[in-house]
Amino acid sequence: MTHPHQRASQNGRRKFLMTAASTIGLAFASSRTSALGMDLHGAGMTVQQVIDLILKEIPGAPFEQTVDTLKSGSGQQVVTGIATTMFSTIEVIQKAAAQGVNFIIAHEPTFYGHTDETTWLESDAVYQFKRNLLDKHKIAVWRFHDYWHTHRPDGVLIGVLTRLGWDKLYNPSNPPIVNHAGISLRDLVAHSKKSLGIRQVRYIGDPSQVCKRIALIPGAAGGRAQMQLLMKEKPDVLIVGEVHEWETAEYVRDAQAMGSKMSLIVLGHAESEEPGMEWLVGWLSPRVKDIKVTHIASGNPFREG
Amino acid sequence: MTHPHQRASQNGRRKFLMTAASTIGLAFASSRTSALGMDLHGAGMTVQQVIDLILKEIPGAPFEQTVDTLKSGSGQQVVTGIATTMFSTIEVIQKAAAQGVNFIIAHEPTFYGHTDETTWLESDAVYQFKRNLLDKHKIAVWRFHDYWHTHRPDGVLIGVLTRLGWDKLYNPSNPPIVNHAGISLRDLVAHSKKSLGIRQVRYIGDPSQVCKRIALIPGAAGGRAQMQLLMKEKPDVLIVGEVHEWETAEYVRDAQAMGSKMSLIVLGHAESEEPGMEWLVGWLSPRVKDIKVTHIASGNPFREG
């Protein structure tokens, strides 16, 4: 079962070892700095120190219940580099290792379920491959979902708004609602695709309809949450990452059939939130000083056919 | 909020009244037949009698817990015509009314959630419009989901297999697995689209890969169920209606990255099960004799853009 990524990841491992070695030097430097009474930020920080630094800026953190836990690695390991991503896919892990990164901050689950519960996966070859890859490269994966959405502004939302050129339209008193000067649904589809780098979206509505009141919830908030927003806010269009087709899509289809102009654009889950994890790079970099923070896009897994 | 369907539904209502009047005659005829000791099947049957007749052929029915309940109308109303569909959308209800049909058998929820719980919807305009439409036309909607999947063969699966030209490949000992002579993923995508009348599908995998062992689960069985089938059966490709993108799609993406050729085709929920509700017409018609059974396709609500 040899595959094209295997060579890349071996190269990556060599690069990782070199980077780790040079980082040890930096870690000592950082310890000295700390001994002089300065902030222990930057090179030499552990995974847990980076997490704690982030949580200091999240209202109400730490939460008693959250899916934002370490999925691999240790809080005690010294960070050699940080990669932000939507999904810590096998490919993202291999790219991170190749860049000498040992800390991935991912928005979504690593192990194919919201809670990353793995008992049911223990004997599965795909799970084992991914787990072994993480262990081999000593990569810590932390999920940054609940906390990032709780940040004000919601880190994902502001990242997406920024990429759409709508950051000035951010609405602190009602974040999901964007009051736009007016754009046809057709042009809104085109603008979303171009701004967010999406090949194709699915939508429900009349392409010529004018949209002014736009509701934006990247990701898959769930049918009930999406529909309750529609009921409460009565937007011209709702833009989401993913729907349950038998819930939100059917509600919007019925709304259209009764004469409402409420429309729906489904961007795709990964691509709808990726800009929020890219935006995290600019937010986190100055807080961790010498640690390099990069974004590795996990991208859209689908082809259209 | 006048809309194009309103006129059609007024015409439909006239037609409904005429059909209902002519059906009363048939109902009397049927009662006489019944008094002569013959089966009370066909004209004159109530909604509940049709349901009971169906349940007699479902292993283990009636179930203590099921979502297959009446969503509107009464079990006591005399059936004027039956329409099968995937989703009892507002448009499907209007078409049924126009055809003088007062009993819709739908595979999926009417009110935007698996259990059709409506407390949260009471003050919503879309819900009220749909509810009023059903009341006005005195249309009973029964969900036929759990029972139809429990029928042997699974009514949805055999309908889809038949439309794919694979009914001879039905595998009673392991229904989701189709052993195919061999077809490229590219051709399988094309064949699925053409056979099932789908404009576009989304898929993950190498288009040139040959697929022999095909797993087919129409609808949205849930990520855990879909992935457990992948783990157990190791098919070349899994064909489903809908996925949670953060579950099944990510598992398949990782499987591909580790060198597995396990692929995924996502047909769209409505279109993936519609053939099973169309197949129901041929199954049910001879069992209800004089009652006309037709299929009204709810179709795919999405546009691609």
Side-chain angles (χ1 to χ4, degrees):
Chain A
M1 215 180 274
T2 309
H3 64 96
H5 292 293
Q6 209 156 59
R7 253 188 338 191
S9 93
Q10 282 165 356
N11 288 342
R13 180 148 174 76
R14 275 198 295 277
K15 190 168 173 195
F16 165 74
L17 289 170
M18 287 167 59
T19 314
S22 65
T23 305
I24 291 168
L26 288 169
F28 277 105
S30 174
S31 298
R32 278 202 304 274
T33 312
S34 175
L36 292 171
M38 298 179 65
D39 282 351
L40 184 67
H41 289 172
M45 287 184 78
T46 65
V47 162
Q48 190 58 51
Q49 284 169 333
V50 172
I51 293 172
D52 291 344
L53 176 152
I54 292 172
L55 295 194
K56 271 199 289 185
E57 308 208 28
I58 308 296
F63 301 160
E64 259 184 50
Q65 284 220 325
T66 176
V67 292
D68 292 2
T69 57
L70 271 184
K71 311 304 179 184
S72 72
S74 152
Q76 305 317 310
Q77 68 191 67
V78 173
V79 176
T80 61
I82 296 173
T84 70
T85 192
M86 259 301 285
F87 287 96
S88 53
T89 64
I90 285 178
E91 196 182 340
V92 165
I93 295 165
Q94 287 167 329
K95 285 181 181 172
Q99 293 175 23
V101 162
N102 75 343
F103 185 21
I104 295 174
I105 301 181
H107 190 62
E108 292 295 0
T110 300
F111 298 118
Y112 325 119
H114 187 56
T115 60
D116 279 307
E117 194 263 304
T118 57
T119 320
W120 66 294
L121 291 166
E122 296 295 344
S123 63
D124 178 62
V126 179
Y127 167 74
Q128 289 169 352
F129 184 94
K130 192 170 194 175
R131 175 63 78 193
N132 290 340
L133 189 71
L134 289 165
D135 290 348
K136 184 174 87 170
H137 294 296
K138 295 189 168 47
I139 289 180
V141 176
W142 182 56
R143 188 167 177 199
F144 187 36
H145 179 275
D146 300 348
Y147 290 126
W148 200 211
H149 283 305
T150 304
H151 183 265
R152 285 296 167 265
D154 175 324
V156 170
L157 181 65
I158 195 66
V160 175
L161 286 172
T162 302
R163 280 276 289 276
L164 286 163
W166 297 349
D167 42 321
K168 297 285 191 299
L169 303 180
Y170 174 69
N171 182 352
S173 64
N174 196 1
I177 298 298
V178 173
N179 291 303
H180 194 281
I183 182 171
S184 71
L185 183 60
R186 181 185 294 107
D187 288 348
L188 181 57
V189 163
H191 176 69
S192 304
K193 284 167 61 182
K194 193 175 172 194
S195 312
L196 305 175
I198 299 177
R199 202 167 48 237
Q200 190 183 72
V201 304
R202 294 183 301 155
Y203 71 101
I204 301 177
D206 172 1
S208 65
Q209 171 205 319
V210 175
C211 302
K212 292 185 174 179
R213 191 169 172 78
I214 299 172
L216 177 60
I217 329 179
R224 190 69 78 98
Q226 290 166 348
M227 289 185 280
Q228 282 175 329
L229 187 78
L230 286 171
M231 291 170 195
K232 181 171 168 238
E233 301 291 349
K234 307 255 186 290
D236 300 323
V237 61
L238 169 66
I239 304 178
V240 299
E242 180 176 358
V243 290
H244 289 163
E245 293 181 11
W246 74 93
E247 295 178 336
T248 311
E250 289 304 322
Y251 179 81
V252 172
R253 163 146 71 170
D254 274 348
Q256 294 264 337
M258 72 169 252
S260 160
K261 64 172 189 165
M262 188 187 289
S263 298
L264 175 70
I265 300 176
V266 181
L267 302 171
H269 194 147
E271 287 170 313
S272 81
E273 298 192 287
E274 192 91 69
M277 295 310 283
E278 196 167 5
W279 195 83
L280 174 59
V281 173
W283 183 90
L284 186 56
S285 288
R287 289 168 169 82
V288 294
K289 294 175 182 164
D290 300 323
I291 300 179
K292 189 170 179 195
V293 185
T294 51
H295 178 67
I296 302 178
S298 47
N300 172 12
F302 289 103
R303 298 169 189 254
E304 297 86 35
Chain B
M1 215 180 274
T2 308
H3 62 97
H5 292 293
Q6 210 156 59
R7 250 189 337 192
S9 92
Q10 282 164 355
N11 289 343
R13 179 147 174 77
R14 274 199 295 278
K15 192 167 171 192
F16 165 75
L17 290 170
M18 287 167 61
T19 315
S22 64
T23 306
I24 292 168
L26 288 169
F28 278 104
S30 173
S31 299
R32 280 202 303 275
T33 312
S34 176
L36 293 171
M38 297 179 65
D39 282 353
L40 185 67
H41 289 172
M45 288 184 77
T46 64
V47 163
Q48 191 58 51
Q49 285 169 332
V50 172
I51 293 172
D52 290 345
L53 176 153
I54 293 171
L55 295 194
K56 271 199 288 184
E57 308 208 28
I58 308 297
F63 301 161
E64 259 185 50
Q65 285 220 323
T66 176
V67 292
D68 291 2
T69 58
L70 271 183
K71 310 303 179 185
S72 73
S74 152
Q76 306 315 311
Q77 68 192 67
V78 172
V79 176
T80 61
I82 297 173
T84 70
T85 191
M86 258 301 285
F87 286 96
S88 52
T89 64
I90 285 178
E91 196 182 340
V92 165
I93 295 165
Q94 287 166 330
K95 285 182 181 173
Q99 294 175 23
V101 162
N102 76 343
F103 186 21
I104 295 174
I105 301 181
H107 190 62
E108 292 296 0
T110 299
F111 299 118
Y112 325 119
H114 188 56
T115 60
D116 279 305
E117 194 264 304
T118 57
T119 319
W120 66 294
L121 292 165
E122 295 295 344
S123 63
D124 178 62
V126 180
Y127 167 74
Q128 289 169 351
F129 184 93
K130 193 170 193 174
R131 174 63 78 191
N132 291 340
L133 189 70
L134 289 165
D135 290 348
K136 184 175 86 170
H137 294 296
K138 296 189 170 44
I139 290 180
V141 177
W142 183 55
R143 189 168 177 199
F144 188 35
H145 178 274
D146 300 348
Y147 290 126
W148 201 211
H149 283 305
T150 305
H151 183 264
R152 285 296 166 265
D154 175 324
V156 170
L157 182 64
I158 195 66
V160 176
L161 286 172
T162 303
R163 280 276 288 277
L164 287 163
W166 297 349
D167 42 320
K168 297 286 190 300
L169 303 180
Y170 174 69
N171 182 351
S173 64
N174 196 2
I177 297 298
V178 174
N179 290 303
H180 194 281
I183 182 170
S184 72
L185 183 60
R186 181 186 293 108
D187 289 347
L188 181 57
V189 163
H191 176 70
S192 304
K193 284 167 61 183
K194 193 175 172 195
S195 313
L196 305 175
I198 299 176
R199 202 166 48 236
Q200 189 183 72
V201 304
R202 294 184 300 155
Y203 71 100
I204 301 177
D206 173 1
S208 65
Q209 171 205 320
V210 175
C211 302
K212 292 185 174 178
R213 191 170 172 77
I214 299 172
L216 176 61
I217 329 179
R224 191 68 77 98
Q226 290 167 347
M227 289 184 280
Q228 282 176 328
L229 187 77
L230 285 172
M231 291 170 195
K232 181 169 167 240
E233 301 290 349
K234 307 257 185 289
D236 300 323
V237 60
L238 169 66
I239 305 178
V240 299
E242 180 175 357
V243 291
H244 290 162
E245 293 181 11
W246 73 92
E247 294 178 337
T248 311
E250 289 303 323
Y251 179 80
V252 172
R253 163 146 71 170
D254 274 349
Q256 293 264 337
M258 72 170 252
S260 159
K261 64 172 189 164
M262 187 187 288
S263 298
L264 175 71
I265 300 177
V266 181
L267 301 171
H269 193 147
E271 287 169 312
S272 81
E273 296 192 288
E274 192 92 68
M277 295 310 283
E278 196 167 4
W279 195 83
L280 175 59
V281 174
W283 183 90
L284 186 57
S285 288
R287 289 168 169 81
V288 294
K289 294 174 182 163
D290 300 325
I291 300 178
K292 190 171 178 196
V293 185
T294 51
H295 179 66
I296 301 178
S298 47
N300 172 12
F302 289 103
R303 297 169 189 255
E304 298 85 35

